[in-house]
Amino acid sequence: MSLTQYKGFGGASLSADMLGDENDPAVLLVPDIGQRRAMWRDVGDALVLSGRRVVNLDLRDDAGPAEGRSLAPYVEDLRAVLAQMGSRPVVVAGGRGGWIAARALGLDGAHLAAGLVLVDLPVDEQGSLDDVAARLALPTLVVRGGLAPVNDDTIPNAFDAALPLGETAHIDDCDLALASDRKEALLGQLLEFLERHQPREAMEFKAGSDPRTLRDAMGCFATGITIVTALGADGAPVGLTANSFTSVSLDPPLLLVCIANSAGTAPTLRAARHFGVNVLQIGQQPTSNRFAAKGEDRFANQPWAPGQTGVPLLGGSLVSFECQHESLHEAGDHFILVGRVVRAQFEPHRDPLLYFRGKYRRLHFA
Ligand SMILES: Cc1cc2nc3c(=O)[nH]c(=O)nc-3n(C[C@H](O)[C@H](O)[C@H](O)COP(=O)(O)O)c2cc1C
């Protein structure tokens, strides 16, 4: 994360946190009037994980005396920031920040932004929520019930600027008031809107392209993470992090993992009569890192116990499969190790550690 200063109306300095990869499509977060950019912190972090560049902006501190306060400086600030951005972002505005964004994007908004999301826009005396959104000329999502209610009587509810009239654009509308987890529900709506109105460029792998691109393509398949273990000929435990795990057959009970021929543990896993597959839960991210890193004593400080067949099983896993070597298939620079499950111990109430597009993830319920 880095901090940037934008130049607003009349030379005002506006702080913004920049998060994520600058090549990803941008989302500009605008807080409620009277709130700081911290209100969007969690949403910003989640958007970065979903492959978005996030600009989390603070509004100016002082917009003049509270009596007869004008929205105009805020509106001009936002238009100035949008003009300084390298690409057209989707603007997400919370509460009265939506008044600012709706006015800044009202007439020629499509030139400045790819879309607008109004979260809990207060209805002022100028008309209903739908009226406000209906005057915008860019794709707009209106979300109700997305933010925790704020009680701040010091902020006037009426501002003096009228909404410009534009040509009506497509408007989505959703109500999260009954959602049990409003943050997750808001994120779900946001991501769905972003996928539709701010799609990312498609990438392509062709035979002969660089392996990195293939890896990125494969990384679009979300997986869990396992630690594959066995006992070496000297009786010492070995193990490595692997997400190439797949269930294969119920009768007989078979599973597989793909192991790189170059892995230090490969000779032991090729030779072992038995091996273990430990599916990790959310608290075992450090374990995943340790079993993927070179030069680590992977089993030091790692609770484990031998299973019925002697294979090392890691304590606290979501599930530990104990397998008998069934077959081995050479496959390019990996080999496919098929195991017959002789025992599985599992604690299904635990949350899984997930892996997607090269990053750890956690499950969130839709
Ligand atoms: C999330 C993740 C998944 C991985 N999946 C595999 C896999 O399926 N097969 C594999 O051979 N290596 C995989 N690796 C890489 C190995 O864990 C890593 O190369 C490890 O250092 C090998 O250890 P070794 O050389 O001591 O056997 C993965 C690494 C990570 C971080």
mmCIF file of all heavy atoms in Angstrom, residues 215 223-226 228 239-245 257-267 269 288-295 298 333-334 355 358 360, ligand 1:
data_model
loop_
_atom_site.group_PDB
_atom_site.id
_atom_site.type_symbol
_atom_site.label_atom_id
_atom_site.label_comp_id
_atom_site.label_asym_id
_atom_site.label_seq_id
_atom_site.Cartn_x
_atom_site.Cartn_y
_atom_site.Cartn_z
ATOM 1 N N ARG A 215 0.942 -21.275 -15.941
ATOM 2 C CA ARG A 215 0.754 -21.305 -14.492
ATOM 3 C C ARG A 215 -0.388 -20.384 -14.070
ATOM 4 O O ARG A 215 -1.217 -20.734 -13.226
ATOM 5 C CB ARG A 215 2.060 -20.835 -13.841
ATOM 6 C CG ARG A 215 2.365 -21.541 -12.576
ATOM 7 C CD ARG A 215 3.615 -20.958 -11.996
ATOM 8 N NE ARG A 215 3.784 -21.490 -10.678
ATOM 9 C CZ ARG A 215 4.949 -21.733 -10.136
ATOM 10 N NH1 ARG A 215 6.046 -21.498 -10.795
ATOM 11 N NH2 ARG A 215 5.018 -22.202 -8.923
ATOM 12 N N THR A 223 -8.267 -24.113 -5.364
ATOM 13 C CA THR A 223 -8.024 -25.412 -4.712
ATOM 14 C C THR A 223 -7.900 -25.213 -3.208
ATOM 15 O O THR A 223 -7.782 -24.091 -2.718
ATOM 16 C CB THR A 223 -6.689 -26.026 -5.190
ATOM 17 O OG1 THR A 223 -5.615 -25.208 -4.719
ATOM 18 C CG2 THR A 223 -6.636 -26.157 -6.698
ATOM 19 N N GLY A 224 -7.863 -26.340 -2.505
ATOM 20 C CA GLY A 224 -7.381 -26.347 -1.134
ATOM 21 C C GLY A 224 -5.876 -26.552 -1.168
ATOM 22 O O GLY A 224 -5.254 -26.508 -2.242
ATOM 23 N N ILE A 225 -5.295 -26.771 -0.018
ATOM 24 C CA ILE A 225 -3.849 -27.025 0.052
ATOM 25 C C ILE A 225 -3.617 -28.254 0.930
ATOM 26 O O ILE A 225 -4.280 -28.414 1.968
ATOM 27 C CB ILE A 225 -3.099 -25.817 0.636
ATOM 28 C CG1 ILE A 225 -3.290 -24.619 -0.293
ATOM 29 C CG2 ILE A 225 -1.627 -26.121 0.830
ATOM 30 C CD1 ILE A 225 -2.444 -23.435 0.035
ATOM 31 N N THR A 226 -2.690 -29.089 0.499
ATOM 32 C CA THR A 226 -2.353 -30.274 1.291
ATOM 33 C C THR A 226 -0.856 -30.303 1.587
ATOM 34 O O THR A 226 -0.065 -29.636 0.907
ATOM 35 C CB THR A 226 -2.688 -31.583 0.540
ATOM 36 O OG1 THR A 226 -1.733 -31.783 -0.509
ATOM 37 C CG2 THR A 226 -4.094 -31.564 -0.044
ATOM 38 N N VAL A 228 1.781 -33.365 1.648
ATOM 39 C CA VAL A 228 1.959 -34.791 1.356
ATOM 40 C C VAL A 228 3.172 -35.279 2.144
ATOM 41 O O VAL A 228 4.241 -34.653 2.077
ATOM 42 C CB VAL A 228 2.167 -35.009 -0.165
ATOM 43 C CG1 VAL A 228 2.344 -36.496 -0.485
ATOM 44 C CG2 VAL A 228 1.000 -34.430 -0.947
ATOM 45 N N GLY A 239 8.006 -34.212 3.819
ATOM 46 C CA GLY A 239 6.705 -33.699 3.387
ATOM 47 C C GLY A 239 6.876 -32.470 2.522
ATOM 48 O O GLY A 239 7.909 -31.800 2.576
ATOM 49 N N LEU A 240 5.887 -32.215 1.672
ATOM 50 C CA LEU A 240 5.901 -30.984 0.863
ATOM 51 C C LEU A 240 4.476 -30.483 0.671
ATOM 52 O O LEU A 240 3.513 -31.258 0.765
ATOM 53 C CB LEU A 240 6.584 -31.197 -0.488
ATOM 54 C CG LEU A 240 5.771 -31.749 -1.663
ATOM 55 C CD1 LEU A 240 6.513 -31.561 -2.960
ATOM 56 C CD2 LEU A 240 5.417 -33.199 -1.457
ATOM 57 N N THR A 241 4.372 -29.191 0.422
ATOM 58 C CA THR A 241 3.082 -28.563 0.136
ATOM 59 C C THR A 241 2.655 -28.916 -1.281
ATOM 60 O O THR A 241 3.463 -28.810 -2.217
ATOM 61 C CB THR A 241 3.218 -27.027 0.258
ATOM 62 O OG1 THR A 241 3.713 -26.727 1.555
ATOM 63 C CG2 THR A 241 1.897 -26.322 0.025
ATOM 64 N N ALA A 242 1.397 -29.334 -1.458
ATOM 65 C CA ALA A 242 0.901 -29.664 -2.800
ATOM 66 C C ALA A 242 -0.579 -29.316 -2.905
ATOM 67 O O ALA A 242 -1.361 -29.660 -2.019
ATOM 68 C CB ALA A 242 1.111 -31.144 -3.093
ATOM 69 N N ASN A 243 -0.940 -28.615 -4.003
ATOM 70 C CA ASN A 243 -2.366 -28.346 -4.218
ATOM 71 C C ASN A 243 -2.910 -29.148 -5.400
ATOM 72 O O ASN A 243 -4.028 -28.930 -5.835
ATOM 73 C CB ASN A 243 -2.632 -26.845 -4.408
ATOM 74 C CG ASN A 243 -2.048 -26.312 -5.688
ATOM 75 O OD1 ASN A 243 -1.162 -26.923 -6.266
ATOM 76 N ND2 ASN A 243 -2.529 -25.160 -6.114
ATOM 77 N N SER A 244 -2.100 -30.097 -5.890
ATOM 78 C CA SER A 244 -2.523 -30.904 -7.039
ATOM 79 C C SER A 244 -3.310 -32.130 -6.599
ATOM 80 O O SER A 244 -3.318 -33.138 -7.282
ATOM 81 C CB SER A 244 -1.285 -31.349 -7.826
ATOM 82 O OG SER A 244 -0.394 -32.028 -6.948
ATOM 83 N N PHE A 245 -3.956 -32.042 -5.480
ATOM 84 C CA PHE A 245 -4.711 -33.164 -4.911
ATOM 85 C C PHE A 245 -6.065 -33.316 -5.604
ATOM 86 O O PHE A 245 -6.735 -32.326 -5.891
ATOM 87 C CB PHE A 245 -4.913 -32.874 -3.424
ATOM 88 C CG PHE A 245 -5.953 -33.739 -2.762
ATOM 89 C CD1 PHE A 245 -5.644 -35.033 -2.383
ATOM 90 C CD2 PHE A 245 -7.227 -33.262 -2.520
ATOM 91 C CE1 PHE A 245 -6.595 -35.840 -1.759
ATOM 92 C CE2 PHE A 245 -8.179 -34.055 -1.896
ATOM 93 C CZ PHE A 245 -7.871 -35.346 -1.520
ATOM 94 N N VAL A 257 -2.048 -37.234 -6.116
ATOM 95 C CA VAL A 257 -1.325 -35.957 -6.068
ATOM 96 C C VAL A 257 -0.261 -35.999 -7.171
ATOM 97 O O VAL A 257 0.186 -37.075 -7.571
ATOM 98 C CB VAL A 257 -0.621 -35.702 -4.704
ATOM 99 C CG1 VAL A 257 -1.620 -35.298 -3.632
ATOM 100 C CG2 VAL A 257 0.200 -36.883 -4.272
ATOM 101 N N CYS A 258 0.102 -34.827 -7.680
ATOM 102 C CA CYS A 258 1.137 -34.742 -8.708
ATOM 103 C C CYS A 258 2.380 -34.127 -8.080
ATOM 104 O O CYS A 258 2.299 -33.040 -7.487
ATOM 105 C CB CYS A 258 0.682 -33.880 -9.876
ATOM 106 S SG CYS A 258 -0.825 -34.490 -10.628
ATOM 107 N N ILE A 259 3.500 -34.821 -8.204
ATOM 108 C CA ILE A 259 4.729 -34.378 -7.543
ATOM 109 C C ILE A 259 5.791 -34.063 -8.602
ATOM 110 O O ILE A 259 5.991 -34.854 -9.544
ATOM 111 C CB ILE A 259 5.271 -35.482 -6.597
ATOM 112 C CG1 ILE A 259 4.180 -35.918 -5.601
ATOM 113 C CG2 ILE A 259 6.546 -35.032 -5.878
ATOM 114 C CD1 ILE A 259 3.730 -34.838 -4.622
ATOM 115 N N ALA A 260 6.463 -32.919 -8.443
ATOM 116 C CA ALA A 260 7.519 -32.524 -9.392
ATOM 117 C C ALA A 260 8.705 -33.481 -9.269
ATOM 118 O O ALA A 260 9.120 -33.804 -8.148
ATOM 119 C CB ALA A 260 7.964 -31.094 -9.097
ATOM 120 N N ASN A 261 9.210 -33.918 -10.419
ATOM 121 C CA ASN A 261 10.403 -34.787 -10.382
ATOM 122 C C ASN A 261 11.572 -34.075 -9.703
ATOM 123 O O ASN A 261 12.446 -34.724 -9.129
ATOM 124 C CB ASN A 261 10.811 -35.181 -11.812
ATOM 125 C CG ASN A 261 9.788 -36.122 -12.427
ATOM 126 O OD1 ASN A 261 9.211 -36.961 -11.731
ATOM 127 N ND2 ASN A 261 9.541 -35.953 -13.715
ATOM 128 N N SER A 262 11.564 -32.752 -9.772
ATOM 129 C CA SER A 262 12.679 -31.994 -9.194
ATOM 130 C C SER A 262 12.567 -31.826 -7.680
ATOM 131 O O SER A 262 13.507 -31.349 -7.042
ATOM 132 C CB SER A 262 12.717 -30.601 -9.840
ATOM 133 O OG SER A 262 11.489 -29.950 -9.586
ATOM 134 N N ALA A 263 11.426 -32.207 -7.095
ATOM 135 C CA ALA A 263 11.251 -32.001 -5.643
ATOM 136 C C ALA A 263 12.227 -32.880 -4.871
ATOM 137 O O ALA A 263 12.440 -34.053 -5.229
ATOM 138 C CB ALA A 263 9.814 -32.318 -5.243
ATOM 139 N N GLY A 264 12.773 -32.331 -3.801
ATOM 140 C CA GLY A 264 13.705 -33.092 -2.959
ATOM 141 C C GLY A 264 13.047 -34.329 -2.364
ATOM 142 O O GLY A 264 13.692 -35.361 -2.151
ATOM 143 N N THR A 265 11.742 -34.241 -2.110
ATOM 144 C CA THR A 265 11.015 -35.370 -1.510
ATOM 145 C C THR A 265 10.600 -36.414 -2.543
ATOM 146 O O THR A 265 10.074 -37.469 -2.172
ATOM 147 C CB THR A 265 9.728 -34.857 -0.818
ATOM 148 O OG1 THR A 265 9.063 -33.977 -1.714
ATOM 149 C CG2 THR A 265 10.025 -34.128 0.475
ATOM 150 N N ALA A 266 10.795 -36.121 -3.856
ATOM 151 C CA ALA A 266 10.294 -37.022 -4.906
ATOM 152 C C ALA A 266 10.817 -38.458 -4.748
ATOM 153 O O ALA A 266 10.018 -39.400 -4.803
ATOM 154 C CB ALA A 266 10.624 -36.456 -6.285
ATOM 155 N N PRO A 267 12.139 -38.672 -4.537
ATOM 156 C CA PRO A 267 12.623 -40.063 -4.432
ATOM 157 C C PRO A 267 11.948 -40.812 -3.281
ATOM 158 O O PRO A 267 11.580 -41.980 -3.438
ATOM 159 C CB PRO A 267 14.131 -39.904 -4.182
ATOM 160 C CG PRO A 267 14.466 -38.545 -4.698
ATOM 161 C CD PRO A 267 13.246 -37.706 -4.492
ATOM 162 N N LEU A 269 8.947 -40.209 -1.970
ATOM 163 C CA LEU A 269 7.530 -40.465 -2.281
ATOM 164 C C LEU A 269 7.380 -41.548 -3.354
ATOM 165 O O LEU A 269 6.439 -42.334 -3.332
ATOM 166 C CB LEU A 269 6.846 -39.167 -2.732
ATOM 167 C CG LEU A 269 6.608 -38.157 -1.606
ATOM 168 C CD1 LEU A 269 6.149 -36.803 -2.153
ATOM 169 C CD2 LEU A 269 5.573 -38.689 -0.608
ATOM 170 N N SER A 288 1.829 -24.368 5.468
ATOM 171 C CA SER A 288 1.930 -24.424 4.006
ATOM 172 C C SER A 288 3.211 -23.736 3.533
ATOM 173 O O SER A 288 3.937 -24.262 2.683
ATOM 174 C CB SER A 288 0.710 -23.747 3.377
ATOM 175 O OG SER A 288 0.878 -23.642 1.988
ATOM 176 N N ASN A 289 3.513 -22.569 4.102
ATOM 177 C CA ASN A 289 4.730 -21.847 3.709
ATOM 178 C C ASN A 289 5.975 -22.647 4.044
ATOM 179 O O ASN A 289 6.911 -22.733 3.243
ATOM 180 C CB ASN A 289 4.796 -20.492 4.425
ATOM 181 C CG ASN A 289 3.805 -19.504 3.849
ATOM 182 O OD1 ASN A 289 3.427 -19.618 2.681
ATOM 183 N ND2 ASN A 289 3.361 -18.565 4.657
ATOM 184 N N ARG A 290 5.965 -23.224 5.251
ATOM 185 C CA ARG A 290 7.176 -23.937 5.704
ATOM 186 C C ARG A 290 7.450 -25.163 4.838
ATOM 187 O O ARG A 290 8.588 -25.445 4.480
ATOM 188 C CB ARG A 290 7.005 -24.337 7.169
ATOM 189 C CG ARG A 290 8.310 -24.551 7.879
ATOM 190 C CD ARG A 290 8.214 -24.587 9.378
ATOM 191 N NE ARG A 290 7.239 -25.533 9.864
ATOM 192 C CZ ARG A 290 6.083 -25.198 10.407
ATOM 193 N NH1 ARG A 290 5.745 -23.945 10.546
ATOM 194 N NH2 ARG A 290 5.243 -26.128 10.827
ATOM 195 N N PHE A 291 6.390 -25.883 4.444
ATOM 196 C CA PHE A 291 6.579 -27.109 3.662
ATOM 197 C C PHE A 291 6.790 -26.820 2.168
ATOM 198 O O PHE A 291 6.924 -27.739 1.366
ATOM 199 C CB PHE A 291 5.408 -28.077 3.872
ATOM 200 C CG PHE A 291 5.529 -28.874 5.146
ATOM 201 C CD1 PHE A 291 5.212 -28.309 6.374
ATOM 202 C CD2 PHE A 291 5.986 -30.191 5.131
ATOM 203 C CE1 PHE A 291 5.332 -29.026 7.556
ATOM 204 C CE2 PHE A 291 6.116 -30.923 6.304
ATOM 205 C CZ PHE A 291 5.787 -30.334 7.528
ATOM 206 N N ALA A 292 6.786 -25.535 1.807
ATOM 207 C CA ALA A 292 7.093 -25.179 0.418
ATOM 208 C C ALA A 292 8.448 -24.486 0.325
ATOM 209 O O ALA A 292 8.944 -24.225 -0.769
ATOM 210 C CB ALA A 292 6.008 -24.264 -0.139
ATOM 211 N N ALA A 293 9.047 -24.169 1.479
ATOM 212 C CA ALA A 293 10.293 -23.393 1.470
ATOM 213 C C ALA A 293 11.503 -24.317 1.541
ATOM 214 O O ALA A 293 11.456 -25.374 2.164
ATOM 215 C CB ALA A 293 10.293 -22.435 2.660
ATOM 216 N N LYS A 294 12.557 -23.902 0.866
ATOM 217 C CA LYS A 294 13.811 -24.672 0.893
ATOM 218 C C LYS A 294 14.547 -24.387 2.198
ATOM 219 O O LYS A 294 14.416 -23.315 2.767
ATOM 220 C CB LYS A 294 14.709 -24.245 -0.271
ATOM 221 C CG LYS A 294 14.128 -24.581 -1.629
ATOM 222 C CD LYS A 294 14.439 -26.012 -2.032
ATOM 223 C CE LYS A 294 13.692 -26.392 -3.314
ATOM 224 N NZ LYS A 294 13.318 -27.795 -3.380
ATOM 225 N N GLY A 295 15.311 -25.353 2.640
ATOM 226 C CA GLY A 295 16.223 -25.154 3.760
ATOM 227 C C GLY A 295 15.543 -25.021 5.110
ATOM 228 O O GLY A 295 16.129 -24.534 6.061
ATOM 229 N N ARG A 298 11.277 -28.775 8.337
ATOM 230 C CA ARG A 298 9.817 -28.680 8.198
ATOM 231 C C ARG A 298 9.059 -29.286 9.368
ATOM 232 O O ARG A 298 7.940 -28.871 9.662
ATOM 233 C CB ARG A 298 9.389 -29.340 6.886
ATOM 234 C CG ARG A 298 9.916 -28.566 5.692
ATOM 235 C CD ARG A 298 9.560 -29.212 4.372
ATOM 236 N NE ARG A 298 10.037 -28.384 3.265
ATOM 237 C CZ ARG A 298 10.016 -28.745 2.000
ATOM 238 N NH1 ARG A 298 9.552 -29.932 1.665
ATOM 239 N NH2 ARG A 298 10.466 -27.936 1.078
ATOM 240 N N ASP A 333 7.066 -33.288 -16.394
ATOM 241 C CA ASP A 333 8.055 -33.017 -15.345
ATOM 242 C C ASP A 333 7.515 -33.352 -13.944
ATOM 243 O O ASP A 333 8.144 -33.037 -12.944
ATOM 244 C CB ASP A 333 8.550 -31.558 -15.417
ATOM 245 C CG ASP A 333 7.419 -30.538 -15.358
ATOM 246 O OD1 ASP A 333 6.265 -30.936 -15.080
ATOM 247 O OD2 ASP A 333 7.699 -29.342 -15.591
ATOM 248 N N HIS A 334 6.322 -33.972 -13.892
ATOM 249 C CA HIS A 334 5.746 -34.443 -12.626
ATOM 250 C C HIS A 334 5.477 -35.947 -12.721
ATOM 251 O O HIS A 334 5.509 -36.522 -13.817
ATOM 252 C CB HIS A 334 4.422 -33.737 -12.327
ATOM 253 C CG HIS A 334 4.586 -32.338 -11.776
ATOM 254 N ND1 HIS A 334 5.295 -31.357 -12.430
ATOM 255 C CD2 HIS A 334 4.128 -31.768 -10.632
ATOM 256 C CE1 HIS A 334 5.262 -30.231 -11.713
ATOM 257 N NE2 HIS A 334 4.567 -30.466 -10.608
ATOM 258 N N TYR A 355 -6.506 -21.705 -2.045
ATOM 259 C CA TYR A 355 -5.446 -21.146 -2.885
ATOM 260 C C TYR A 355 -6.048 -20.811 -4.239
ATOM 261 O O TYR A 355 -6.705 -21.647 -4.861
ATOM 262 C CB TYR A 355 -4.333 -22.185 -3.035
ATOM 263 C CG TYR A 355 -3.007 -21.603 -3.451
ATOM 264 C CD1 TYR A 355 -2.287 -20.779 -2.597
ATOM 265 C CD2 TYR A 355 -2.473 -21.896 -4.704
ATOM 266 C CE1 TYR A 355 -1.067 -20.246 -2.980
ATOM 267 C CE2 TYR A 355 -1.246 -21.374 -5.089
ATOM 268 C CZ TYR A 355 -0.551 -20.553 -4.214
ATOM 269 O OH TYR A 355 0.657 -20.030 -4.589
ATOM 270 N N GLY A 358 -2.513 -17.831 -7.165
ATOM 271 C CA GLY A 358 -1.229 -17.612 -6.514
ATOM 272 C C GLY A 358 -1.299 -17.025 -5.122
ATOM 273 O O GLY A 358 -0.276 -16.640 -4.565
ATOM 274 N N TYR A 360 -3.206 -17.151 -1.008
ATOM 275 C CA TYR A 360 -4.066 -17.830 -0.047
ATOM 276 C C TYR A 360 -5.395 -17.091 0.038
ATOM 277 O O TYR A 360 -5.440 -15.864 -0.036
ATOM 278 C CB TYR A 360 -3.418 -17.849 1.334
ATOM 279 C CG TYR A 360 -2.154 -18.670 1.387
ATOM 280 C CD1 TYR A 360 -0.912 -18.068 1.529
ATOM 281 C CD2 TYR A 360 -2.212 -20.054 1.273
ATOM 282 C CE1 TYR A 360 0.252 -18.814 1.571
ATOM 283 C CE2 TYR A 360 -1.058 -20.818 1.308
ATOM 284 C CZ TYR A 360 0.173 -20.194 1.454
ATOM 285 O OH TYR A 360 1.313 -20.944 1.481
HETATM 286 C C1 LIG B 1 0.345 -23.539 -2.693
HETATM 287 C C2 LIG B 1 1.427 -24.456 -3.205
HETATM 288 C C3 LIG B 1 1.086 -25.590 -3.914
HETATM 289 C C4 LIG B 1 2.080 -26.448 -4.393
HETATM 290 N N1 LIG B 1 1.707 -27.569 -5.053
HETATM 291 C C5 LIG B 1 2.647 -28.435 -5.483
HETATM 292 C C6 LIG B 1 2.269 -29.656 -6.100
HETATM 293 O O1 LIG B 1 1.100 -29.959 -6.275
HETATM 294 N N2 LIG B 1 3.270 -30.503 -6.486
HETATM 295 C C7 LIG B 1 4.591 -30.208 -6.311
HETATM 296 O O2 LIG B 1 5.437 -31.011 -6.672
HETATM 297 N N3 LIG B 1 4.977 -29.036 -5.725
HETATM 298 C C8 LIG B 1 4.032 -28.160 -5.290
HETATM 299 N N4 LIG B 1 4.402 -27.009 -4.672
HETATM 300 C C9 LIG B 1 5.825 -26.677 -4.542
HETATM 301 C C10 LIG B 1 6.485 -27.449 -3.441
HETATM 302 O O3 LIG B 1 5.786 -27.356 -2.201
HETATM 303 C C11 LIG B 1 7.898 -26.877 -3.239
HETATM 304 O O4 LIG B 1 8.555 -26.943 -4.466
HETATM 305 C C12 LIG B 1 8.691 -27.583 -2.206
HETATM 306 O O5 LIG B 1 9.786 -26.749 -1.906
HETATM 307 C C13 LIG B 1 9.217 -28.886 -2.627
HETATM 308 O O6 LIG B 1 9.987 -29.340 -1.550
HETATM 309 P P1 LIG B 1 11.117 -30.420 -1.707
HETATM 310 O O7 LIG B 1 11.963 -30.001 -2.875
HETATM 311 O O8 LIG B 1 11.812 -30.450 -0.408
HETATM 312 O O9 LIG B 1 10.376 -31.700 -1.980
HETATM 313 C C14 LIG B 1 3.436 -26.151 -4.171
HETATM 314 C C15 LIG B 1 3.776 -25.001 -3.450
HETATM 315 C C16 LIG B 1 2.790 -24.168 -2.958
HETATM 316 C C17 LIG B 1 3.165 -22.949 -2.161
#
